[in-house]
Amino acid sequence: MKLVGGPSAGRIAEIAGVSKSTVSRALSGHPSISEGTRKRILKIAHEIGYEPNAMASSLVTARSGVIGFVIGEMENPFYQEHIEKVARISAAAGTQLMLFQVPQDGELADVVPAMARYRLEGCIVIASVRTNAKSLTACRLHGIPVVLINRVVHDGSASSVLCHNEAGGHELGRFLLAGGHRRIAIISGRADSIVNRDRLTGFRAALAEAGVREVAEVNGDFRFEAAYQAARELLSAEPRCDAIFAVSDLMACGAIDAARDLAVRVPDDLSIVGFDGIRTAAWPAYRLTTVAQPADAILSRAVALIAARDPNRAPEISYINGLLKVRRSARVPAGYAPEPEHL
């Protein structure tokens, strides 16, 4: 039979000799349709090149197949790399990604009305986005499950997937101590950041275990320029520190540039370590020793939690350990092997 016009569910029904509602149920995998009928309808759909209208389907199923990804400031390349990774992971899971950017000094609640218009499966919110009880309540009222990245709420309103930041900070502290460092300084991020708090908690705990308690600290605000100035301040003090832990890779790169401009040799005179695992950290200009966040694993888990969309499943908190990347920005202690240098 030759049909005029583009393929549609109605044309499939005409060829198969069934109703449109039967075609709709077969294409959506409804259990009321027998396996034989479903296969016959799918075969016809394939032969005539039928592609279901996703928006029309969402009106019937209340499922859009779209995941929201809520971002804030984008200075840190770590978040830019997140977009690339989560788009790939989302596509592999059979869903699409839609970006929502919170304005400067804004919060999650600012983009909830926009998200609600698209019948999202759920949303993933990165750590730089301000999130509070009001924001999460608004998402819940609109039926949008939330998965937080590197942030935890303990009231059961959202799931969380986190790098084990405290453990990573502890490992970096032990690494510097094993290298013989005792005059250790810190370039910290924003005081209200849970990521900053947890990394510093682990790092300071490692130093305290070795009896090192006096540690200079200057705030770098998670920004390259601020960290550059913080490093210059630390390196101008006497006695000068012999190691710096920057709470993020972006700030660690700023510290390395500051040391270079002050003719302080890295790592001969000064060891610098960071945290995140951004691509820039591996560049020849930095060769940064860092704890790399397992971004693929974190984002894969976040997408899976949203895809499950089980209303009876309680929100959960998942911690995933980071990986120490030993490079050339810090003295390499005995028992540690630097990774091969490559771009």
Side-chain angles (χ1 to χ4, degrees), residues 73-313:
E73 62 87 9
M74 293 295 290
E75 179 179 356
N76 191 335
F78 183 68
Y79 296 128
Q80 299 169 23
E81 293 168 18
H82 262 38
I83 295 174
E84 174 189 325
K85 292 176 185 293
V86 76
R88 170 173 45 80
I89 292 166
S90 179
T95 55
Q96 298 299 313
L97 191 71
M98 183 174 291
L99 290 180
F100 297 88
Q101 185 163 22
V102 172
Q104 188 175 11
D105 298 325
E107 61 182 50
L108 176 62
D110 295 329
V111 296
V112 171
M115 291 196 296
R117 289 197 293 269
Y118 290 97
R119 296 173 175 260
L120 297 183
E121 301 289 296
C123 69
I124 299 170
V125 184
I126 64 174
S128 66
V129 174
R130 289 184 175 86
T131 304
N132 52 32
K134 172 187 171 184
S135 303
L136 296 175
T137 298
C139 288
R140 185 170 63 253
L141 291 175
H142 286 286
I144 304 172
V146 177
V147 178
L148 302 174
I149 302 296
N150 277 329
R151 176 176 297 169
V152 175
V153 291
H154 295 287
D155 61 0
S157 58
S159 292
S160 298
V161 188
L162 309 90
C163 174
H164 206 317
N165 289 296
E166 188 170 334
H170 192 274
E171 187 170 19
L172 286 167
R174 291 183 59 192
F175 175 85
L176 291 178
L177 291 166
H181 297 289
R182 291 300 182 272
R183 299 191 311 278
I184 301 172
I186 293 170
I187 298 178
S188 58
R190 291 187 297 274
D192 63 349
S193 164
I194 294 175
V195 167
N196 181 71
R197 182 200 68 191
D198 289 351
R199 292 176 184 180
L200 289 182
T201 296
F203 186 78
R204 289 183 179 277
L207 269 55
E209 290 164 8
V212 178
R213 299 184 183 278
E214 295 297 324
V215 180
E217 179 180 337
V218 180
N219 185 272
D221 196 36
F222 285 121
R223 295 171 51 243
F224 180 92
E225 294 83 357
Y228 176 92
Q229 295 300 331
R232 289 185 67 97
E233 180 181 335
L234 289 170
L235 295 174
S236 299
E238 292 293 343
R240 192 172 70 193
C241 60
D242 63 1
I244 293 176
F245 167 46
V247 172
S248 75
D249 283 354
L250 184 64
M251 294 196 297
C253 291
I256 290 175
D257 283 350
R260 183 180 295 120
D261 289 349
L262 293 172
V264 176
R265 297 173 301 168
V266 176
D268 298 334
D269 303 324
L270 174 72
S271 289
I272 298 177
V273 297
F275 203 125
D276 276 335
I278 63 175
R279 294 190 185 111
T280 308
W283 289 2
Y286 300 109
R287 301 293 190 200
L288 179 66
T289 292
T290 183
V291 167
Q293 290 202 53
D296 279 355
I298 288 173
L299 295 170
S300 292
R301 183 62 187 148
V303 169
L305 285 170
I306 289 175
R309 199 179 170 96
D310 181 354
N312 298 316
R313 184 174 186 165

Side-chain angles (χ1 to χ4, degrees), residues 57-74:
S57 297
S58 72
L59 295 175
V60 176
T61 65
R63 301 288 295 268
S64 66
V66 177
I67 292 176
F69 191 60
V70 186
I71 59 176
E73 62 87 9
M74 293 295 290

